[in-house]
Structures are given as C-alpha cells and as structure tokens.
Amino acid sequence: MTLTERRRLTEVARGAAPADLYVRGGTLLNVYTGELYPANVATRGERIAYVGLRDDMVGARTTTVEAAGRVLVPGYIDPHVHPAHIITPSALAHHVLPLGTTTLVADTLQFWELGGLRAFTQVANTLARSPVKFYWMIRVHAQSRTTDEARRFQRRDLARALAHPWSVAAGEVTRWPEVQAGAPDLLARLHLASSRGQRVEGHTAGASAERIAALAAGGLTSDHEPITAREVLDRARQGIAVMLRESSLRPDLGGLLDALKEAPGLAARAMLTADGSMPAFIRDHGFVDHLLRTALARGVPPVDAYRMVTLNPATYFHKDGQLGGIAPGRYADICVLTDLSQPRPETVVARGRVAARDGRALISVPEPSWSRVFTTPAARLTARWRARPEDFRLPERTPLPVIRLVSAVITRLEERAPAPGDLHAALVDRAGRWVAPALLAGFADRLDGLAATVSTDFNILVIGRSRESMARAVNRLLDLRGGVVVVDGADVACELPLPLGGIMTRLSLGDAAAREDALHATLRERGYAFHDPFFTLLFLSADFLPAVRLSPRGVWDVKAGRVLLPRRRRA
Ligand SMILES: [Fe+2]
C-alpha cells in the first residue's frame, strides 16, 4: 500500500472523504476478539477504511451493499494450493471466488519446471492484479531426481523468486529425510526463505514423531501431510504449524479435527487446506467453503472454524496486517453470509469490488499469456519425433523389477518374471532422446495404450498392454501438444488435450471436470480400481513416495536410493 492510499483511508475513516463501497447493516464476525456485533464496513480502493456504526463517509458515488440480517466474515484463505492441475490458476480463481475464497498461497513447481524464474515471474506479475490474491511458495527442488536438477533450480534464481513482492514461503519441501539428515545444500535453500523472514512449507508424510524435532530445527515451519490426529499433534507440539487437509486424494479432515479435542489450544494456529484437489472434486464439494462445512459438521465452534481459514493463515504468513480480518487497512475481502452455518456466501467483496453474487463471478480474473510463459520446445512439445513400439521393449532378463500399485499413489516392489496382467510402462523424454521402460501391475489390466504429460517430472508417461497402442497414444499426444490420450487398438478412445505446457487446458473448472470424469470412466472400464487416476499418473515418477518409482533415471528404489532398471537412449 502506498502512503497516499494510507492517507486516503484515514480521510474515509474520519468521514472527511466518501467511501467507494459501504456494506450496511450486517453483523460482523470479529476474528480478533471472537465477537459478533452489528457493524458497517467502508472501503476505499482495495482496502477497508472504517468498521463501525457511523455512515458519514457514504457519499453520492458510494456503492452500497445491503447486509441487514446477514453475517460478514473475512474472505477465505487456502494456505497451500497447487494451482495448475488441468486448469489454469485463473480458471481456479474464477471458480472459487464465488465460493468465498479470496486468497490462495500457491505452488510454483509447474511454471518453474517448464520455464524457470522467467515463467514464474510472468505468471506472478499477471496474477498480482487478480481479485483472488495469489501469494507464492517457491519450490526449491524438483519432485523427481534428475542429473540436471542443479541447473534448473539455481539458488540465485530461487533467491530472486523469493524476493518477488507476492512470495511468502519456500516449499513444499518433499525431501524431508534430507532436512532431517541436515543436508547442507537443501538447508541452504530453505535458509534463502527463512533469512528473509519467510516461511518454509514442509511435506513430512510418514515422518515419525521422533524425527519431527530435526525437521523443525532444519527450518520447516508448516506441514499439511498429517493423515491422523496423532500426526497433527506430533507436529504441532514441535512448533510446526499444521494445515489440516481435505483433498480429492486425501479427504481426511474429519478425523484430523479430533486433534482439537485433545488439544483445544491448537485452534489458535491450525489452518485448513484443499491442497491439490482436482476440478471434479471442487465442482462436487466446493473449496474452502467445503472445509468450513466439514469443520462445522464435526462440531468445531464457528469462531474457531472461521479463524482457521482467515486470521490463522494470515498470521502464519506474516500477512495479518493485510489479510484475514475485517478491520481498517486490510484488503477489503468480505463474505456476506445468510448465517455462520452456511459458509457459501451470498455476496463476495474482493479487493474492494463486489466480485460475486449468488454463486456467480461478476468480475474476471486476468489470464497469464501462456505463449510467453511456455517458450521452449520442451514446454510446448514441438520437438519433431515419433514413438515406435520397440521404444517400450524391456531387457530380456529375469527377474525384472515390477512396480505394483497398492493404492492410487503408493507402490510396492516385486522382483520376478513378467506375468499376465502386467502392463508395459515407460517414461519418455519430451524431446524423445531417452526412454525409461518398466513393468507396472495393478493399474488397469485391459488398457491397450495410454500416454500422458501429467507427471511430476514433466516427461511423457506411457502405459499399456500393447506396444503398438502405446506408440499410437504417444504420437497422438504429440499432435495435441500434451494432455492424456487413451487408445484401444489403433483408435483413440478418450483424450484430454492440455496444450498449455502439456499440463493445462483453457477450459473452465466445470468443463475440465467433465473431461476428468470421462477419463476416469474410460480407465475404470479398463480395470482402474482406485479413486484418483490423475494423481496415479502424476505421482508415478515422484520419488518422495514409497516404494518404487518410474523416475527419469529409470525404475527407482526409493528407500535404497538406487536405479533398478536404467533408462536408455532412443535409437
Ligand atoms: Fe501439497
């Protein structure tokens, strides 16, 4: 905020200048004191200037929002968002704004991996004007180990990204065993954020209670991975701020909230997050409003529940002077509710504008110029090459390592001869220079061929029982410039084009959700038995999950940290 803006806020607050917007007659939820009382709210520009009973700042040009019989609560904040899952961050913001969410703290992985610092800066600069505010957590390492990671994640670039005015944290840090081991390079990357007074977002899935001290000492300040109330307490007791998660992959919130029964003081610090929820899940359930409904249904006192999605995340990110409460100086982000028990708002004010009413957005969200964000042949998938069936051939030896899926994302290693029902799988470089073949069991027995550019290492994932169909799927995928393609024999059975970097469509959340449904149904018909195929594809290469992964180096044993079946050059 500029000094001039500050001065103007004081003028409106004194009644010496007219407000831009005046919300009249509502009952205010004061998240600072926990009180509910009648109050009007006056804004100037993007900020709140006055909260109280006077109306001498209402002028001829002041827009009035009538809120008699309504409750005013601060706009909701999701502190941990992956904003590029099939849809663009702008499409996500456009959908969640009418649901009351006015602030997202978002991940940079996709933009960074496909375009580095320049791509992140482009996206962040465009979205700095969005009515839904985008703050950023800067990824400091890749999701999947490759030989050229040091070049892609240079500390100098990370320091510049952290200096962006909308950056608030480093993370998420999935390599927690390295933090616990005190690995100097990783600790130095986290220090880039902590030395600026910024936060470090952890990912400590599976870390036992005794390891948490070293993780907190190493610099992690939050964690959104607990899947039991016990794990919530283990982390909270060591000073780690816990984000209780309800996502399409892990809908755990109900059980996690039991931690509040054992330790009610946690309500002053806990946050709620939808993490990387997929479009269909958000369409069906909602966003932060869904988290609130779940918490209220679980018996969390309303003031605590609303604080967990407003003041608590604002305070955690050192932004409570800007966000998280309805008070002078803060962004004018206000949800007008019919009742505290109904978190889905009637009207949403965002950055001082009436942004949504009755579930419909009234203003647009700026869209980054994706052709300027994704500029390389790899990001645009413009390299000229074609896949061939022999690319997916396996070495003739037994036993072979087999990746067995035991849930949507968790795998088990089997070392044995190939058996009926095993599928071929491969990770192929976007430019076609190398291929990492594998055997995969438990995905979808009757799948001829699938190719996808949704994977956390951003290469092409290919799966199927027919090498011809697999090659056909890859070649169709290259024609589409990315997405997901399912092939039966030689025919395309289902496709989801993702031409923006191979990871996103320009569709709205609702339309993308319908395509997601179609893909899920296609895979279910072919034997896919888990609940989230997108995450299965995304995480097959993610070497922070147990037990064996299809990484860019080849089939990777996570615990042993070694390659079981190496990648090879494509002839
Ligand atoms: Fe996450």
Side-chain angles (χ1 to χ4, degrees):
M1 185 166 28
T2 64
L3 263 180
T4 310
E5 282 177 281
R6 281 266 177 224
R7 192 170 42 73
R8 290 195 172 131
L9 291 182
T10 67
E11 287 171 1
V12 173
R14 291 196 307 272
D20 289 335
L21 190 77
Y22 188 81
V23 184
R24 185 197 303 271
T27 298
L28 176 85
L29 173 65
N30 189 314
V31 291
Y32 306 108
T33 64
E35 299 169 289
L36 277 160
Y37 52 81
N40 308 310
V41 182
T43 73
R44 173 72 168 76
E46 301 190 332
R47 304 280 179 157
I48 294 168
Y50 171 79
V51 181
L53 296 174
R54 282 171 27 226
D55 65 358
D56 53 347
M57 64 290 293
V58 177
R61 305 247 283 273
T62 303
T63 304
T64 304
V65 174
E66 293 300 338
R70 301 291 184 263
V71 183
L72 311 181
V73 301
Y76 310 146
I77 302 168
D78 189 321
H80 185 94
V81 176
H82 300 286
H85 281 173
I86 293 188
I87 54 171
T88 67
S90 314
L92 176 68
H94 190 264
H95 186 90
V96 302
L97 178 58
L99 306 179
T101 300
T102 53
T103 302
L104 303 174
V105 181
D107 178 22
T108 53
L109 179 69
Q110 272 90 345
F111 313 125
W112 198 275
E113 282 283 31
L114 294 170
L117 173 65
R118 196 190 40 74
F120 157 68
T121 308
Q122 287 263 352
V123 173
N125 286 351
T126 302
L127 293 175
R129 297 181 276 114
S130 162
V132 175
K133 286 172 299 307
F134 278 84
Y135 292 91
W136 300 97
M137 47 177 164
I138 308 298
R139 287 276 187 152
V140 297
H141 63 69
Q143 286 284 59
S144 208
R145 274 157 227 272
T146 52
T147 41
D148 64 344
E149 184 179 318
R151 182 183 58 74
R152 289 178 291 127
F153 288 83
Q154 292 191 24
R155 279 198 225 164
R156 192 190 54 215
D157 289 346
L158 296 170
R160 287 203 188 129
L162 286 162
H164 191 279
W166 291 88
S167 291
V168 290
E172 67 178 285
V173 181
T174 50
R175 291 181 189 164
W176 65 261
E178 283 186 23
V179 179
Q180 200 228 349
D185 178 66
L186 184 53
L187 292 197
R189 286 163 189 269
L190 308 189
H191 190 67
L192 293 173
S194 14
S195 61
R196 300 181 57 91
Q198 293 172 325
R199 295 300 195 174
V200 180
E201 307 308 287
H203 163 115
T204 70
S208 61
E210 270 311 308
R211 294 173 180 235
I212 305 298
L215 299 179
L220 302 189
T221 58
S222 86
D223 190 20
H224 61 290
E225 291 293 334
I227 55 173
T228 63
R230 179 83 254 149
E231 289 184 348
V232 171
L233 286 176
D234 289 343
R235 284 149 182 79
R237 285 171 180 165
Q238 299 287 335
I240 288 182
V242 182
M243 299 168 177
L244 308 176
R245 173 174 60 188
E246 171 89 351
S247 72
S248 56
L249 182 62
R250 298 274 350 176
D252 296 327
L253 182 56
L256 298 179
L257 288 165
D258 287 347
L260 294 168
K261 292 181 191 153
E262 201 169 324
L266 197 54
R269 186 150 154 93
M271 298 169 261
L272 308 182
T273 180
D275 198 358
S277 286
M278 292 300 295
F281 183 86
I282 298 170
R283 172 199 61 197
D284 294 344
H285 299 283
F287 200 60
V288 177
D289 56 310
H290 170 61
L291 309 175
L292 276 167
R293 264 191 306 280
T294 307
L296 295 171
R298 199 77 182 186
V300 176
V303 174
D304 288 345
Y306 282 92
R307 274 184 180 145
M308 286 181 207
V309 300
T310 57
L311 183 60
N312 290 5
T315 305
Y316 167 71
F317 286 112
H318 307 304
K319 292 287 174 193
D320 55 312
Q322 318 284 326
L323 301 170
I326 300 177
R330 277 68 172 177
Y331 279 107
D333 295 339
I334 302 164
C335 295
V336 182
L337 309 181
T338 52
D339 191 271
L340 273 190
S341 65
Q342 305 294 332
R344 213 169 258 203
E346 207 172 61
T347 302
V348 181
V349 175
R351 290 179 100 159
R353 296 163 73 193
V354 179
R357 209 167 242 145
D358 300 322
R360 296 182 72 90
L362 302 175
I363 58 178
S364 61
V365 178
E367 187 78 61
S369 167
W370 297 108
S371 62
R372 287 168 57 195
V373 172
F374 301 129
T375 55
T376 63
R380 293 183 173 184
L381 284 138
T382 49
R384 289 165 186 271
W385 64 280
R386 306 303 276 178
R388 298 168 305 240
E390 56 268 31
D391 291 335
F392 311 115
R393 213 172 7 86
L394 285 156
E396 295 194 8
R397 65 165 220 227
T398 47
L400 277 169
V402 181
I403 305 169
R404 157 78 63 184
L405 276 167
V406 295
S407 79
V409 295
I410 304 299
T411 63
R412 193 172 67 208
L413 173 63
E414 295 174 0
E415 297 199 77
R416 57 170 172 77
D422 289 348
L423 299 176
H424 289 279
L427 206 59
V428 189
D429 170 40
R430 280 189 177 209
R433 289 166 300 195
W434 53 260
V435 56
L439 275 173
L440 177 67
F443 180 73
D445 293 1
R446 300 180 296 283
L447 174 70
D448 285 352
L450 172 149
T453 43
V454 287
S455 92
T456 53
D457 82 312
F458 303 93
N459 287 301
I460 299 174
L461 177 64
V462 198
I463 302 173
R465 60 182 175 181
S466 152
R467 293 196 296 233
E468 285 73 20
S469 300
M470 292 165 73
R472 171 86 175 93
V474 172
N475 293 332
R476 176 63 186 157
L477 187 80
L478 292 170
D479 293 341
L480 294 174
R481 305 268 183 263
V484 186
V485 175
V486 178
V487 165
D488 284 336
D491 302 326
V492 172
C494 176
E495 60 187 27
L496 168 58
L498 300 171
L500 307 177
I503 56 170
M504 297 179 294
T505 160
R506 288 189 187 276
L507 295 176
S508 68
L509 183 140
D511 290 343
R515 305 297 289 269
E516 186 192 338
D517 289 343
L519 175 66
H520 195 165
T522 303
L523 289 175
R524 215 183 291 119
E525 283 162 17
R526 285 155 186 76
Y528 180 82
F530 305 115
H531 71 291
D532 207 328
F534 179 83
F535 271 97
T536 305
L537 300 175
L538 196 68
F539 283 164
L540 208 56
S541 58
D543 61 19
F544 59 89
L545 288 165
V548 56
R549 297 285 140 184
L550 180 47
S551 85
R553 294 181 185 185
V555 178
W556 177 258
D557 182 331
V558 176
K559 202 152 202 179
R562 67 190 181 97
V563 175
L564 300 170
L565 188 63
R567 83 183 196 193
R568 61 170 184 252
R569 290 182 68 88
R570 275 183 76 255

